[in-house]
Amino acid sequence: MRSGRLAALTGAAFFAASCGAPGGVAGVSTLPPATPTANGITAATAPSDPGQAVPPAGDEPVRMPPPKMSPYTYAFPVKGCKVSYSRKLLVLPKTTIWAEKGCAFVSPVDGVVQEVNVKNQWAPSTDRGADREGRYVTVKGEDGVLYLGGHLDSVDEDLKPGAKVKAGELLGRVGNSGNARDTASNLYFAISWPTAPQNWWIRRGIVPPWPYLDAWDDGNRTVSPRKAMLTLRKRLGATPPCTQLCASKQQQSSPPPEESRPPKKKDNDEDTRVVVPL
């Protein structure tokens, strides 16, 4: 009797086990897969797709500041106005920043004011190179670089040579003095190295400025022209000879033309860029 009951129980257990797995495949379960876990966090699964894991909700990504490229902090030289400028060589390695008349021209970096010219001395009859920027201000930055802003409508009345200024501090107002009198208002912006006033052709522009304008406007205010300035000064010498627009109008033939109006953006035109400084 006992042996008959044991045989019946054993047969029932074997029948139950055979129903829990596919026939002929040992050790394979028909139960749904367990929910995946990672670092103690259980991921939810979409009801419509049980096999697709849905990542858990998280915080917003943290925005990282741009890398610091130098110990100096810079400001875009026109503040609070929509501007445009050419990213190509125009007679000299400088740029024309087109902006409405009266827009603020500010110091690009902490430094000391070198030259202040409040009188527009340019005349078309002579077209002297030294007078072409009309009213202008130069600043020797703490980075050792010289910055020029010209064609100004006015210069800040309290600004004097030797005055210390901070990046973003008002120096003057955008205009069209000098040889820009028949053009739209703009800021003549040039980068070079400190030199004596009689070497005016140096302050008119040696270092192409647009890579730094792009960086400062894009938010990386530590991209510095110091290395490029030192490289060019070593190659050209501290006082290179004048090569462009050196003579008065009576002594020179027709000078190379410059822009008279803001450039228009064209399709696939990488030489012109419109920016809105903060």
Side-chain angles (χ1 to χ4, degrees):
M1 179 67 72
R2 288 182 179 178
S3 59
R5 289 179 179 177
L6 180 59
L9 292 174
T10 302
F14 178 80
F15 179 77
S18 65
C19 293
V25 182
V28 177
S29 174
T30 59
L31 298 176
T35 303
T37 61
N39 298 326
I41 300 175
T42 302
T45 57
S48 60
D49 187 4
Q52 180 65 42
V54 178
D59 296 331
E60 291 294 324
V62 178
R63 295 185 180 276
M64 300 298 293
K68 191 171 185 179
M69 306 299 292
S70 76
Y72 313 107
T73 301
Y74 296 87
F76 194 90
V78 178
K79 186 176 182 179
C81 291
K82 183 178 180 179
V83 306
S84 65
Y85 56 91
S86 292
R87 301 177 69 255
K88 57 186 177 182
L89 183 66
L90 296 170
V91 183
L92 294 168
K94 55 87 177 178
T95 196
T96 302
I97 302 178
W98 303 98
E100 292 293 330
K101 188 173 184 177
C103 288
F105 163 51
V106 300
S107 181
V109 69
D110 294 358
V112 178
V113 175
Q114 294 292 286
E115 293 181 76
V116 177
N117 182 30
V118 298
K119 186 177 181 181
N120 183 15
Q121 298 177 318
W122 182 82
S125 59
T126 57
D127 192 25
R128 283 171 25 93
D131 301 332
R132 282 188 158 223
E133 282 68 67
R135 300 180 186 91
Y136 66 85
V137 176
T138 63
V139 173
K140 178 185 177 183
E142 63 176 7
D143 55 2
V145 179
L146 188 73
Y147 301 89
L148 164 72
H151 296 332
L152 299 177
D153 182 63
S154 63
V155 175
D156 185 70
E157 61 181 11
D158 296 326
L159 200 65
K160 305 294 181 185
K164 293 183 179 180
V165 292
K166 293 289 186 180
E169 184 174 338
L170 180 67
L171 302 178
R173 298 286 177 180
V174 172
N176 57 349
S177 61
N179 73 325
R181 72 175 191 176
D182 296 324
T183 73
S185 57
N186 66 85
L187 177 73
Y188 182 110
F189 186 71
I191 300 176
S192 60
W193 52 81
T195 186
Q198 60 265 28
N199 301 325
W200 51 267
W201 57 89
I202 296 176
R203 62 167 164 77
R204 295 199 73 216
I206 299 290
V207 181
W210 43 88
Y212 311 103
L213 294 175
D214 288 350
W216 302 340
D217 177 64
D218 286 342
N220 195 335
R221 304 298 178 88
T222 62
V223 176
S224 175
R226 175 177 170 81
K227 183 177 180 181
M229 180 273 291
L230 292 174
T231 299
L232 285 169
R233 188 174 67 180
K234 182 177 180 180
R235 179 161 63 88
L236 301 175
T239 311
C242 181
T243 59
Q244 293 286 346
L245 307 172
C246 305
S248 65
K249 193 170 184 177
Q250 290 89 341
Q251 298 172 301
Q252 65 184 3
S253 57
S254 57
E258 297 192 43
E259 289 181 312
S260 60
R261 290 292 184 272
K264 293 183 179 180
K265 181 70 175 177
K266 298 179 180 179
D267 293 339
N268 300 322
D269 182 6
E270 297 181 354
D271 289 336
T272 302
R273 173 187 171 92
V274 177
V275 296
V276 182
L278 299 177

